[in-house]
Amino acid sequence: MRFVSWNVNGLRACLQKEFLTSFAALDADCFCLQETKLQAGQLELDLPGYHQYWNYAEKKGYSGTAIFTKNEPLSVTYGVGVPELDTEGRLITLEFESFYLVTCYTPNAQDGLKRIDHRMAWDDAFRAYLAALDAQKPVIACGDLNVAHQEIDLKNPGPNRGNAGFSDEERGKFAELLAAGFTDTFRHLHPDTTGAYSWWSYRFNARKNNAGWRIDYFLVSNRMADAVTDAVIHSDIFGSDHCPVSITCKEDTL
């Protein structure tokens, strides 16, 4: 099975940049989106063969997530179950027979870390939520988690130390998440690969120069890490300031 995750930075804009061509080429069993920037009823997307699930932010033109899946889930849940954290459409969970699939758009701590308290609350709630799911069945969690975990995960770690996405606080929470029983699939399969990024600023020709950050992830429960046969960052696909990321899992393990 192939799973794809993509922060599209506004789906309506991405549709004007060959989103549907990329969607077809990736041919995912489950395709997860973050930062759709939509409200209910603003877009009718024709995706034959896929069930569609959307979570919208209360604020217009902001945040939002979606999952498109070939197989209908047993159940669908929206949010992490904390009311004050669930107004921005940041999380969807699909339950399948042998696993949970979660897509997440983690809040940005913002310039000067002015939203770091909210971010820390989210990280704690997200970790507890995934751990509770993991106690029931294995979890595949993906999305824009808005943190570069290690220095290898961004082009310029030195000047960015302490900035949003590379603060000690955010990196520490990500380490806690992994310690709670989850595997970073790309690093598991490519421990020493450098220059592998999933987001580039629109400024300073960052993408042309590959001055990027790896902040889009697929995490899986440790006990299913060996079921992941491939983890890819699709840096050749454009349409957003992020590129898609994907994993392939053995069919007989799901």
Side-chain angles (χ1 to χ4, degrees), residues 87-106:
T87 63
E88 296 177 346
R90 293 187 176 275
L91 193 131
I92 304 172
T93 304
L94 303 189
E95 179 187 3
F96 294 98
E97 184 174 352
S98 59
F99 67 97
Y100 288 102
L101 174 64
V102 179
T103 191
C104 176
Y105 178 37
T106 298

Side-chain angles (χ1 to χ4, degrees), residues 1-3 28-31 49-53 67-76 94-97 99 101 251 254:
M1 291 185 72
R2 173 180 275 189
F3 300 83
D29 294 281
C30 296
F31 202 114
Y50 286 86
H51 304 275
Q52 302 185 26
Y53 303 95
I67 302 180
F68 313 133
T69 174
K70 290 180 179 178
N71 298 315
E72 189 172 5
L74 301 176
S75 67
V76 184
L94 303 189
E95 179 187 3
F96 294 98
E97 184 174 352
F99 67 97
L101 174 64
E251 287 274 2
L254 296 177

Side-chain angles (χ1 to χ4, degrees), residues 18 27 86 96 108 116 120 138 147 155 157 195 214 220 233 240:
E18 301 188 347
D27 189 27
D86 285 337
F96 294 98
N108 192 306
I116 193 67
M120 295 293 96
V147 61
K155 178 72 171 183
R214 189 175 74 93
V220 299
I233 298 175
S240 168

Side-chain angles (χ1 to χ4, degrees), residues 227-239:
V228 180
T229 59
D230 199 16
V232 180
I233 298 175
H234 299 271
S235 57
D236 58 330
I237 295 180
F238 291 77

Side-chain angles (χ1 to χ4, degrees), residues 28-191:
D29 294 281
C30 296
F31 202 114
C32 301
L33 302 185
Q34 304 88 42
E35 207 171 0
T36 55
K37 297 184 178 179
L38 290 169
Q39 306 305 121
Q42 283 189 315
L43 180 68
E44 291 292 330
L45 199 57
D46 184 23
L47 300 174
Y50 286 86
H51 304 275
Q52 302 185 26
Y53 303 95
W54 302 80
N55 195 4
Y56 306 103
E58 293 179 4
K59 180 180 177 182
K60 291 183 178 179
Y62 182 73
S63 190
T65 48
I67 302 180
F68 313 133
T69 174
K70 290 180 179 178
N71 298 315
E72 189 172 5
L74 301 176
S75 67
V76 184
T77 306
Y78 300 94
V80 292
V82 181
E84 59 268 27
L85 298 176
D86 285 337
T87 63
E88 296 177 346
R90 293 187 176 275
L91 193 131
I92 304 172
T93 304
L94 303 189
E95 179 187 3
F96 294 98
E97 184 174 352
S98 59
F99 67 97
Y100 288 102
L101 174 64
V102 179
T103 191
C104 176
Y105 178 37
T106 298
N108 192 306
Q110 299 185 353
D111 290 345
L113 303 183
K114 62 185 180 183
R115 213 184 184 201
I116 193 67
D117 289 346
H118 179 81
R119 169 61 183 265
M120 295 293 96
W122 175 273
D123 284 347
D124 287 341
F126 182 56
R127 184 179 66 255
Y129 180 78
L130 291 189
L133 294 180
D134 186 46
Q136 301 174 59
K137 61 182 78 172
V139 175
I140 299 171
C142 68
D144 175 3
L145 302 187
N146 257 319
V147 61
H149 181 209
Q150 300 169 325
E151 291 193 352
I152 195 175
D153 295 317
L154 71 166
K155 178 72 171 183
N156 297 305
N160 283 294
R161 178 74 181 270
N163 289 343
F166 200 59
S167 68
D168 291 347
E169 297 95 325
E170 292 163 299
R171 295 171 68 197
K173 290 295 186 187
F174 190 82
E176 288 183 44
L177 176 57
L178 296 182
F182 298 94
T183 297
D184 173 353
T185 57
F186 184 83
R187 274 293 159 237
H188 179 66
L189 291 173
H190 310 284

